[in-house]
Amino acid sequence: MPPIVHCVRHAQGVHNLCTANHVIHDPLLTDLGNEQCRTLRDSFARHEHIDLITASPLRRTIYTALQSFEPVFQARPNLKVIALPDTQETSDVACDTGSEPDALRKEMEGKPVDLSWVYEGWNVKSGRFAPTNKAIKDRARAARRWLKGRPEKEIVLVTHGGFLHYFTEDWEDSSQFQGTGWTNTEYRTYVFSEEEDRDDLEGYALDGDNATLVETLESRQRRGKSGPMPSREQQKTLYKIGTQGWDDQGLQLSTAEREAAKVPEGQEIEGVRA
């Protein structure tokens, strides 16, 4: 039986304080962020059931995992946070770009963090990690498939507010906050669908199982929602609305697109925003 997945957005980072801080490379948590981790640690009721913890390799997600799930590491001394490059944040701005592998290994030395999946180039925002909808959808699906195939029964993934919409494919309220519908350290619980979807939210055919996630009713009720999450057909519409909503917020995926969008009245020169 595929595992249960608890998805968590990282605690408040320095970049969350203001847009100007988005130029900070791979920022750390704020004091409030550390407090949010302690609150999640004390309120999360499933520590004893968790047998795998994964996280984006950015520092704010790793530290959120280490602090929020401290009881799991205490109970399981050999357990480590597995850092998964496919779950990094979506854009190519500095705050969403990870550290060099050697620097990350030096910083995490002595901590229960497994960086074996973090390789040279994981923090270069091109190819697999390009700030495009297709690339992000592809790596989100790869992460879902990897987790679905794991032998563990209950898994935690600590990642980012924007990426979580691609990973869960739940676009409801995706523009409620800046670039996300998730609050810092919010967690939601998912199971894998019994159906094998063979297309993505844009209708493109896939080379295999989409590994679709479904939020549990208990999880939705925990955050004030009634009834099941929107259907896959409804999500296809919400996806279009959500990505357009981010554009309207000035949160295009690439730095170049964000700069182009600042042009008064959207002036274009020979088809290119100048």
Side-chain angles (χ1 to χ4, degrees), residues 125-200:
K125 297 288 188 162
S126 61
R128 186 181 186 91
F129 305 115
T132 65
N133 283 322
K134 183 182 185 307
I136 300 164
K137 286 188 301 178
D138 286 349
R139 62 181 171 89
R141 186 181 312 109
R144 288 196 304 272
R145 287 174 173 175
W146 187 83
L147 290 174
K148 185 176 182 179
R150 295 292 302 187
E152 293 85 4
K153 295 182 179 180
E154 208 154 331
I155 296 172
V156 166
L157 168 64
V158 182
T159 182
H160 307 268
F163 181 74
L164 276 162
H165 290 287
Y166 288 92
F167 180 77
T168 65
E169 296 183 296
D170 186 358
W171 290 84
E172 185 180 21
D173 301 329
S174 57
S175 296
Q176 183 174 356
F177 309 110
Q178 188 182 49
T180 187
W182 294 61
T183 59
N184 291 119
T185 60
E186 177 180 353
Y187 79 94
R188 304 179 191 177
T189 303
Y190 295 82
V191 295
F192 285 95
S193 173
E194 295 180 359
E195 298 182 10
E196 289 194 5
D197 294 307
R198 296 284 176 157
D199 65 342
D200 68 11

Side-chain angles (χ1 to χ4, degrees), residues 10-159:
H10 63 79
Q12 185 190 68
V14 176
H15 67 298
N16 292 136
L17 296 176
C18 61
T19 304
N21 284 358
H22 288 187
V23 299
I24 299 173
H25 179 242
D26 198 4
L28 289 168
L29 300 178
T30 63
D31 289 342
L32 175 59
N34 291 318
E35 182 180 335
Q36 290 170 336
C37 290
R38 292 190 290 271
T39 299
L40 177 57
R41 178 197 64 194
D42 295 341
S43 62
F44 186 75
R46 303 288 298 178
H47 288 299
E48 64 185 76
H49 301 281
I50 301 301
D51 41 15
L52 178 66
I53 297 178
T54 61
S56 156
L58 275 84
R59 297 194 295 170
R60 60 185 179 269
T61 40
I62 292 176
Y63 283 117
T64 297
L66 289 173
Q67 295 185 71
S68 302
F69 299 96
E70 182 182 16
V72 181
F73 300 111
Q74 291 175 339
R76 297 170 177 260
N78 294 325
L79 191 71
K80 294 183 178 181
V81 178
I82 298 180
L84 299 175
D86 275 346
T87 65
Q88 65 184 278
E89 187 57 302
T90 56
S91 84
D92 65 355
V93 298
C95 65
D96 293 337
T97 302
S99 300
E100 291 295 327
D102 286 346
L104 202 55
R105 290 189 182 94
K106 183 177 181 180
E107 182 171 342
M108 298 301 161
E109 188 174 355
K111 299 178 177 65
V113 179
D114 180 353
L115 296 173
S116 60
W117 291 78
V118 178
Y119 54 88
E120 292 293 334
W122 82 274
N123 54 345
V124 177
K125 297 288 188 162
S126 61
R128 186 181 186 91
F129 305 115
T132 65
N133 283 322
K134 183 182 185 307
I136 300 164
K137 286 188 301 178
D138 286 349
R139 62 181 171 89
R141 186 181 312 109
R144 288 196 304 272
R145 287 174 173 175
W146 187 83
L147 290 174
K148 185 176 182 179
R150 295 292 302 187
E152 293 85 4
K153 295 182 179 180
E154 208 154 331
I155 296 172
V156 166
L157 168 64
V158 182
T159 182

